[in-house]
Amino acid sequence: MSSSRSVAVVTLGCTRNEVDSEELAGRLAAEGWTLVEDASEADVAVVNTCGFVEQAKKDSIDALLEANDLKRTGRTRKVVAVGCMAERYGQQLAAELPEADAVLGFDSYADMSGHLQRILAGERPASHVPRDRRTLLPLAPAARHTAGQGVALPGHQQPTPEPTVPLAEVAPASGPRVVRARLDGRPWAPLKIASGCDRRCAFCAIPMFRGSFVSRRPEEILAEAAWLGERGVKEVFLVSENTTSYGKDLGDLRLIDALLPELAATPGVERVRVSYLQPAEIRPDLLDAMARTPGVAPYFDISFQHASGPLLRRMRRFGDRASFLALLDQVRERLPEAGVRTNVIVGFPGETEDDLAELTAFLEEARLDVVGVFGYSDEDGTEAEGFGGKLDAATVAERVARVGALVEELTAQRAEERIGSVVDVLVEGVDLDDDEPRLVGRAGQQGPDVDGVTYLVTDDGGMPQLAPGDIVAAEVVATEGVDLVAVPLPRPGTRRAVGGPAHPEEG
């Protein structure tokens, strides 16, 4: 294939999708495609869609339509839909969106180069036929790694052809060969440790199109972490649909506890962040490992979803306000300065005002740093789609607004509690959105993209002389909503270990 053929990978949705995009980009680069950032300068725009909730689907369709417009104004000749929405809807999406030249599911990823070549040559491949991907793997987790070797698992670095070109971005690292291409210059990167989910939450369609839970083997994760460290990544962000299940299909649920110190010791990597913990599956041993391992961020991303016990049972989940508050006490006993984020759903079928009051009482007591508030909407194929007791759209919207306003107030108060504390900040760049440019990064308590940021200033309000990728201890001096304003500590020896106590004397 001519090396003049170029491709742009456009990513929507979560950080798990970002990993999938970078693996796809790595596969294409290994087959001789030129990767470009701007879709208008690419022969093919590959849009990695999100199919999680209604707004994400609309965003994905908008992105596909925008890419199609480039056929008139740019170099773009073809637009291809991949990702979760393409996997979930396949032929239906292709019928409703003829502007896409192809709709390809996860099974197409292994030969994406071949598919794109044929599409550029004028072929229109058959659109993906959706199926419940849970049926592709054995019910018993321990049997999945042998019986499911032919099942596509995006982001898992499954066997690929040897590269046809010696590109630096797809060169082998030590250990298993890594095929991935960085699509941005950020000093942090997501690292997938598992895919799929075995839970059966009544509102969630993810298991149907992502399949059953499958862990990546530790040696593969460590090899990819080393590859990222070699390329300037200072923070690896461990992503999955359910990190607390990691290792169950490999015969050891405590495997993540042992993996964290090895990841934190990876050359070049200075911080490891863990995401998406299921409260019903959090073990004291895991809390100990996260709290005591130097280099692990003091950050707990816990998926509560609600706090009313009866409503959580209806959601096919566990827990209630008292058990969740007790769990948060366990976290803060180990790490008093921990950052905690969660998501909640309001307006679930059958939610009463008493249920909502239980949720708001929990939020008022929990002292959470970030809370994503989502209004319930029916998702195709989920159990809740068939539930009675549906609330009308106006009621759901009113409850979202009510809880959202409370959360905005509470999280701003939580940020103010951090004034005077010392946080470790990963410098990410310069924020140009304000009148005056400001150096911006994230404290250990802040996850990427949606959890707020930390602005770094000097004592006189100037911009510190720091570069993206630096991690610096800084004292929080002010807040702006959930965002922190901090001054880097001037004296050597005052910086604490990442994830450790807030001040040297507290050790």
Side-chain angles (χ1 to χ4, degrees):
M1 184 188 70
S2 168
S3 62
S4 65
R5 296 203 175 171
S6 57
V7 60
V9 182
V10 179
T11 308
L12 292 97
C14 65
T15 48
R16 299 183 292 273
N17 249 18
E18 291 182 20
V19 176
D20 297 350
S21 287
E22 292 200 346
E23 186 189 60
L24 267 181
R27 290 175 183 268
L28 292 169
E31 293 294 319
W33 288 77
T34 299
L35 302 176
V36 297
E37 183 176 349
D38 188 342
S40 68
E41 299 175 359
D43 294 310
V44 184
V46 175
V47 180
N48 189 356
T49 61
C50 178
F52 180 38
V53 293
E54 195 61 33
Q55 186 58 51
K57 297 177 211 171
K58 291 177 181 177
D59 292 344
S60 294
I61 290 173
D62 288 345
L64 287 163
L65 292 173
E66 289 173 10
N68 185 67
D69 288 342
L70 297 177
K71 293 178 185 176
R72 297 189 298 272
T73 61
R75 170 175 172 167
T76 310
R77 295 161 54 193
K78 300 292 181 181
V79 175
V80 176
V82 300
C84 292
M85 190 175 181
E87 174 66 37
R88 186 176 179 185
Y89 292 103
Q91 292 173 320
Q92 178 186 344
L93 177 62
E96 295 178 1
L97 198 71
E99 292 86 351
D101 296 287
V103 176
L104 303 177
F106 295 150
D107 295 333
S108 300
Y109 284 24
D111 186 31
M112 186 59 64
S113 175
H115 287 297
L116 297 190
Q117 290 181 68
R118 291 186 287 273
I119 292 166
L120 272 179
E123 296 183 23
R124 190 176 182 95
S127 297
H128 170 65
V129 179
R131 52 183 168 173
D132 189 335
R133 295 192 72 85
R134 292 173 295 189
T135 64
L136 303 182
L137 290 168
L139 187 62
R144 291 173 189 166
H145 281 266
T146 52
Q149 289 183 353
V151 177
L153 298 170
H156 276 232
Q157 295 286 316
Q158 290 175 289
T160 57
E162 289 296 319
T164 59
V165 292
L167 297 179
E169 285 301 302
V170 294
S174 58
R177 185 166 63 89
V178 175
V179 179
R180 179 172 174 174
R182 296 301 317 282
L183 295 177
D184 57 63
R186 301 177 306 196
W188 70 274
L191 174 57
K192 186 173 285 192
I193 66 170
S195 287
C197 186
D198 289 341
R199 302 187 70 85
R200 295 295 180 264
C201 302
F203 53 80
C204 184
I206 288 176
M208 286 185 288
F209 58 85
R210 278 290 185 177
S212 300
F213 185 87
V214 180
S215 304
R216 292 182 67 191
R217 296 189 181 279
E219 60 270 21
E220 298 168 358
I221 296 169
L222 291 168
E224 193 164 344
W227 184 91
L228 292 168
E230 291 167 0
R231 285 156 179 79
V233 171
K234 298 298 179 69
E235 175 184 301
V236 293
F237 184 37
L238 306 185
V239 298
S240 70
E241 273 75 30
N242 180 5
T243 296
T244 35
S245 281
Y246 179 76
K248 73 174 187 179
D249 50 327
L250 298 176
D252 186 359
L253 266 173
R254 289 176 171 78
L255 208 53
I256 187 71
D257 307 11
L259 183 61
L260 289 176
E262 294 189 67
L263 284 167
T266 302
V269 173
E270 296 186 38
R271 190 156 80 187
V272 178
R273 186 178 300 277
V274 181
S275 73
Y276 217 78
L277 306 173
Q278 286 288 347
E281 298 180 30
I282 293 177
R283 300 171 284 102
D285 290 354
L286 175 58
L287 296 181
D288 289 340
M290 292 177 65
R292 297 174 183 174
T293 303
V296 173
Y299 176 81
F300 294 80
D301 174 14
I302 305 177
S303 174
F304 290 123
Q305 302 297 355
H306 211 279
S308 165
L311 193 72
L312 283 164
R313 299 298 88 71
R314 190 168 167 83
M315 289 179 169
R316 304 291 183 251
R317 294 179 66 85
F318 301 93
D320 53 27
R321 173 163 54 125
S323 64
F324 292 166
L325 290 172
L327 175 58
L328 291 173
D329 285 343
Q330 291 182 55
V331 169
R332 290 171 177 141
E333 285 170 5
R334 292 165 171 82
L335 276 177
E337 294 298 315
V340 184
R341 82 159 337 266
T342 196
N343 293 320
V344 298
I345 297 172
V346 297
F348 189 80
E351 183 188 60
T352 66
E353 283 290 345
D354 286 344
D355 292 325
L356 196 66
E358 192 73 1
L359 173 60
T360 56
F362 166 71
L363 294 172
E364 288 168 351
E365 295 179 75
R367 297 171 57 237
L368 302 171
D369 293 83
V370 181
V371 182
V373 181
F374 296 89
Y376 172 81
S377 62
D378 282 336
E379 288 298 316
D380 299 331
T382 61
E383 183 182 3
E385 186 183 22
F387 281 2
K390 298 282 177 63
L391 281 65
D392 62 80
T395 300
V396 174
E398 186 277 328
R399 291 184 179 184
V400 169
R402 194 191 325 170
V403 176
L406 174 65
V407 160
E408 185 174 357
E409 179 182 350
L410 293 173
T411 53
Q413 291 173 1
R414 176 61 177 145
E416 289 176 358
E417 292 177 13
R418 297 198 181 278
I419 293 177
S421 67
V422 175
V423 294
D424 285 316
V425 182
L426 171 66
V427 180
E428 295 191 333
V430 177
D431 181 4
L432 300 175
D433 292 338
D434 296 314
D435 293 336
E436 293 292 331
R438 294 196 290 180
L439 198 65
V440 65
R442 284 180 297 107
Q445 292 86 349
Q446 296 169 316
D449 293 338
V450 293
D451 284 8
V453 298
T454 298
Y455 296 106
L456 290 168
V457 298
T458 59
D459 285 321
D460 59 4
M463 188 183 300
Q465 298 300 305
L466 297 166
D470 289 343
I471 294 183
V472 59
E475 181 180 353
V476 180
V477 296
T479 63
E480 299 176 7
V482 297
D483 297 332
L484 307 178
V485 180
V487 176
L489 293 179
R491 293 181 294 107
T494 55
R495 177 178 172 184
R496 62 182 174 90
V498 177
H503 297 283
E505 64 268 24
E506 292 178 6

